[in-house]
Amino acid sequence: MVDTPGRPDLGPSRSLATKIMLLAVVTSGVGVVLVCAALTVSYVREARDDAVVRTTTQADILAVHSAAPLTFDDPEAGEETLAALAADPATVAACLYDAEGRPFAWYNATPSVAKLPGRSPVPGHVWREGDLLLTRAVTMSDNELGTLALVSDMDALDSLIRRRLGAAAVIGAVAVIVSVLLAWRLSRLIVRPVHALGDTAQIVSRTGDYGVRAAKYTNDELGQLTEAFNHMLDQIQARDAELEQRNEEMEQFVYTASHDLKSPLVTIQGFVGHLRQDLGDGRHDRLDRFAGRVEEAARRMRRNIDDLLELSRIGRISSDPVAVDAAELTRSVVADHEAEISERGVVIEINEPLPTLFVDPDRLRQVIDNLLTNALKYGCNEEASRIEIGGRETDREQELSIRDHGAGIEPRYHDRIFRLFERLDTERDGTGVGLAIVKRIVELHGGRVWVESASGAGTTFFIRFPRRSALSAAA
Amino acid sequence: MTVSPAVHFLLVEDDDDQAELVQLAFEDQPTHHSLDRVGDGESALAYLRREGPFVEARRPDVVLLDLRLPRMDGHEVLRSIKSDRSLRRIPVVVLTTSTAPSDKARAYELHVNSYLMKPDGFDRFQSMISDLHRYWSQWNEGSQGELESAERAG
């Protein structure tokens, strides 16, 4: 494993981090811009309102003081009055008009620029390019004496607004940086598990190793995803192992089968060779024995092939399970062996009741037949000639047992006897397939088979099936 | 060192027919030899350790070992021989019909001296036994003195 988790290296995860960062930048950036825009609008509006109020106040005061110069037609006194505006740098120009609308007195902060019209404007205020023109009537006792117009420059205000907006922009920029930093932390939280998942998936697909697991960093949805992913890997790994085991079993089966088919062939070819040799030498004393060996080997081979075919059929052909009375079936199997049983004086005890099993009847017959044949062959002799068949039921399982009182089987062989072609006793006839068939059938029905025995203490084979309800609930 | 003693073989084979074939093939060999046969792995170890009915057994010069044996299989017998200080110098030849690579690999892991497939065909069977016999006769003649001096020293 070259990649270390948590270190971004691949395009897709990097782009995910970038996307999260971008999202943060755009979101916070748009926020900052909107706030600045709103601030600008409100600052401008506030500043203008302020300017109007301030200029109106100035105009009101000046209007009071301008009444006398107008009344006495004294423009110098008017200009003196207007000169008071010098105290406010924002008010750059002012003009007092007489009742006819002609300019009467002027004030100009910067003399070069004429910012006021030649005739008196209409009272009220007008926003012009960069300044405010405010006009009001000068009255005394309801007599209109003239008009006063003031021009207030907005430059000072503008620079104030710019300063405020500059501060807002700095604060906004800091906010964006902070949000980017937060987003970077956050993106690590999101990207790390995603990255770990991606790395793990890549290792699995590249190496086929289902043993790796993605590290889990959080308990959120990503954590759950990681858990689900790891669980999926668990299942794949388990299935993989099972498949591998099946393959090994299959391979072993093929080798075992070919070995057991080849053995009689070696025997046949060997003895045929000796037959020829003896015939060539004119020696006849061993011919009959050799021919007998060939016959026996051919018979053994035929039996091996038959058993193998039977074993292979079990996996494929299976009629639907039905309710089978084990006692009735057992009696029928015992009847098949009646000749051998009575000839050898064996006593078979069926300890009823036996359970009613939900199985394939032909297969169960095969199981009971093989176990009985086994007990008769290996478990009965002159001293011990009794075989007991019994049953038991629990809430979940049903059991059959077949017990003999023969030589018994040592515990270390208890697993081996169920293997294909495995035989403990080669003195007697047999291919070592019978118990393999029993095991296969019982396992196909979801049950299990085992043996309890000790050397010299007889042997009991148990088969146990899950109850039908338990079986269908599991299915 | 005057006359080299007859080479003594122990055949471990559960199949009567194949045991007889090996015996017949041995009978056709012109050299001095003797051959004992046991039918399973446990008897083979008892024979080698001179236990039970084999107290009088002669230490074999070569063990011919089948792999598929009842109860204790050939690999277990091989392991027991090769892990027993007094037995491990006896050359063991596996003689089997198994073609499984795992069987062969395991046998070599357990330090088998040779692994032979039982050939199909009479002539090849005869010639295999003949080769085996000649080869191990020579091997034994060559190493007999060495072995004896080693035993005296040990």
Side-chain angles (χ1 to χ4, degrees):
Chain A
M1 219 190 292
V2 184
D3 303 354
T4 47
R7 207 184 95 220
D9 63 333
L10 298 167
S13 46
R14 177 172 294 252
S15 94
L16 182 60
T18 313
K19 277 174 195 157
I20 293 169
M21 300 277 274
L22 207 65
L23 189 71
V25 171
V26 168
T27 316
S28 59
V30 165
V32 166
V33 167
L34 282 178
V35 167
C36 285
L39 278 179
T40 309
V41 168
S42 93
Y43 282 164
V44 167
R45 180 170 294 167
E46 200 182 316
R48 288 187 168 190
D49 288 351
D50 278 358
V52 170
V53 168
R54 196 186 65 240
T55 314
T56 304
T57 311
Q58 284 176 353
D60 288 349
I61 295 165
L62 284 177
V64 172
H65 290 101
S66 299
L70 279 172
T71 309
F72 301 109
D73 192 23
D74 183 356
E76 271 177 38
E79 276 178 10
E80 264 171 46
T81 305
L82 292 183
L85 287 172
D88 182 0
T91 307
V92 289
C95 185
L96 197 59
Y97 298 91
D98 62 17
E100 277 73 45
R102 288 188 299 267
F104 175 74
W106 294 89
Y107 165 77
N108 264 321
T110 43
S112 55
V113 196
K115 290 182 182 282
L116 286 160
R119 301 282 302 172
S120 67
V122 186
H125 69 268
V126 180
W127 287 99
R128 304 187 308 182
E129 188 90 7
D131 57 23
L132 165 70
L133 171 64
L134 186 124
T135 313
R136 65 154 294 161
V138 179
T139 53
M140 180 180 265
S141 316
D142 291 338
N143 290 325
E144 197 155 311
L145 301 174
T147 316
L148 177 67
L150 298 180
V151 174
S152 184
D153 191 81
M154 296 305 290
D155 279 354
L157 268 176
D158 282 352
S159 72
L160 180 69
I161 289 170
R162 268 196 296 276
R163 274 201 306 279
R164 284 188 180 178
L165 283 179
V170 168
I171 291 167
V174 169
V176 168
I177 289 166
V178 167
S179 76
V180 164
L181 288 175
L182 284 175
W184 183 68
R185 285 288 307 163
L186 195 72
S187 77
R188 271 171 60 82
L189 281 181
I190 295 170
V191 169
R192 265 175 86 191
V194 172
H195 198 223
L197 274 177
D199 276 358
T200 310
Q202 279 210 351
I203 290 167
V204 168
S205 68
R206 203 172 48 228
T207 65
D209 174 11
Y210 292 103
V212 291
R213 293 289 177 272
K216 189 185 161 192
Y217 294 100
T218 50
N219 280 319
D220 56 7
E221 288 92 331
L222 279 170
Q224 287 165 11
L225 178 65
T226 306
E227 252 174 34
F229 180 78
N230 285 342
H231 183 60
M232 193 178 75
L233 284 180
D234 286 346
Q235 284 177 322
I236 293 174
Q237 201 180 11
R239 200 174 304 167
D240 223 34
E242 193 187 318
L243 215 64
E244 205 168 300
Q245 197 200 336
R246 286 270 163 82
N247 273 344
E248 264 167 34
E249 276 171 13
M250 192 62 186
E251 199 181 344
Q252 201 51 49
F253 171 79
V254 169
Y255 281 123
T256 310
S258 79
H259 171 270
D260 276 63
L261 289 177
K262 225 188 289 172
S263 284
L265 267 185
V266 170
T267 303
I268 290 169
Q269 284 170 319
F271 281 108
V272 167
H274 283 290
L275 278 172
R276 280 184 188 283
Q277 204 178 39
D278 281 11
L279 282 172
D281 296 347
R283 184 180 170 181
H284 292 162
D285 59 319
R286 302 190 295 187
L287 292 182
D288 191 54
R289 186 158 62 91
F290 289 172
R293 298 288 203 188
V294 171
E295 268 178 351
E296 178 48 41
R299 234 193 322 270
R300 190 148 53 98
M301 188 156 174
R302 186 193 180 87
R303 214 169 44 222
N304 279 348
I305 292 171
D306 286 347
D307 282 357
L308 270 180
L309 284 177
E310 195 178 330
L311 187 66
S312 78
R313 256 201 307 270
I314 294 164
R316 290 179 286 115
I317 306 165
S318 185
S319 51
D320 288 335
V322 292
V324 178
D325 180 356
E328 198 183 310
L329 188 65
T330 305
R331 280 194 295 273
S332 155
V333 172
V334 170
D336 289 346
H337 292 269
E338 194 48 50
E340 187 189 354
I341 290 167
S342 56
E343 189 193 322
R344 293 178 53 193
V346 175
V347 178
I348 310 264
E349 272 177 30
I350 302 176
N351 298 319
E352 299 196 42
L354 298 188
T356 295
L357 300 164
F358 198 76
V359 290
D360 175 344
D362 294 338
R363 296 286 165 249
L364 184 65
R365 167 178 278 273
Q366 220 169 350
V367 166
I368 295 174
D369 188 85
N370 283 354
L371 290 177
L372 184 66
T373 307
N374 226 58
L376 285 169
K377 197 187 287 180
Y378 304 108
C380 291
N381 49 43
E382 282 74 30
E383 295 93 57
S385 57
R386 197 154 49 90
I387 295 173
E388 294 147 37
I389 298 166
R392 219 158 58 91
E393 287 194 73
T394 66
D395 289 347
R396 303 180 56 83
E397 290 173 314
Q398 297 174 306
E399 185 183 284
L400 287 182
S401 60
I402 174 161
R403 175 186 182 133
D404 66 52
H405 299 271
I409 302 167
E410 283 181 57
R412 59 188 162 135
Y413 303 125
H414 286 185
D415 284 335
R416 271 177 70 161
I417 52 173
F418 293 103
R419 288 188 212 157
L420 186 65
F421 296 123
E422 195 69 58
R423 300 173 60 208
L424 298 183
D425 184 348
T426 46
E427 298 294 300
R428 274 167 273 214
D429 236 19
T431 54
V433 178
L435 287 177
I437 288 176
V438 167
K439 184 175 160 74
R440 182 112 174 236
I441 291 174
V442 172
E443 285 177 355
L444 276 174
H445 282 90
R448 60 201 179 92
V449 56
W450 73 99
V451 65
E452 285 176 14
S453 174
S455 205
T459 304
T460 312
F461 279 93
F462 292 90
I463 52 177
R464 194 177 277 180
F465 296 103
R467 266 186 186 280
R468 188 191 171 190
S469 55
L471 192 67
S472 54
Chain B
M1 197 69 34
T2 47
V3 183
S4 66
V7 183
H8 182 52
F9 290 87
L10 174 66
L11 173 64
V12 188
E13 171 65 83
D14 65 318
D15 186 314
D16 291 342
D17 296 340
Q18 294 190 5
E20 188 175 352
L21 280 176
V22 173
Q23 277 159 345
L24 287 169
F26 266 90
E27 280 168 21
D28 289 350
Q29 303 303 318
T31 43
H32 289 289
H33 68 268
S34 54
L35 176 73
D36 275 347
R37 178 230 169 176
V38 290
D40 62 74
E42 282 162 356
S43 309
L45 289 178
Y47 184 102
L48 289 168
R49 290 167 181 156
R50 297 185 183 120
E51 291 165 356
F54 304 108
V55 178
E56 301 288 314
R58 180 183 160 189
R59 181 187 170 97
D61 297 306
V62 180
V63 175
L64 301 177
L65 182 64
D66 189 20
L67 284 184
R68 304 243 187 257
L69 296 169
R71 295 187 288 275
M72 178 188 264
D73 73 22
H75 286 117
E76 289 170 61
V77 175
L78 182 59
R79 188 203 306 279
S80 301
I81 293 176
K82 290 303 178 185
S83 58
D84 186 324
R85 284 182 64 82
S86 62
L87 300 179
R88 65 173 169 221
R89 297 195 64 147
I90 303 174
V92 178
V93 179
V94 161
L95 199 57
T96 181
T97 44
S98 168
T99 48
S102 57
D103 279 346
K104 193 171 185 171
R106 229 181 118 205
Y108 277 113
E109 273 166 27
L110 296 170
H111 309 293
V112 73
N113 297 75
S114 187
Y115 188 97
L116 298 177
M117 309 274 195
K118 287 177 189 164
D120 40 355
F122 169 72
D123 293 335
R124 271 188 283 167
F125 201 96
Q126 298 294 99
S127 71
M128 179 193 75
I129 297 295
S130 169
D131 287 348
L132 183 74
H133 195 264
R134 194 167 52 241
Y135 179 75
W136 287 108
S137 296
Q138 284 166 4
W139 192 90
N140 274 295
E141 274 165 26
S143 60
Q144 199 66 36
E146 193 186 310
L147 208 76
E148 276 168 5
S149 59
E151 270 173 8
R152 264 199 304 275

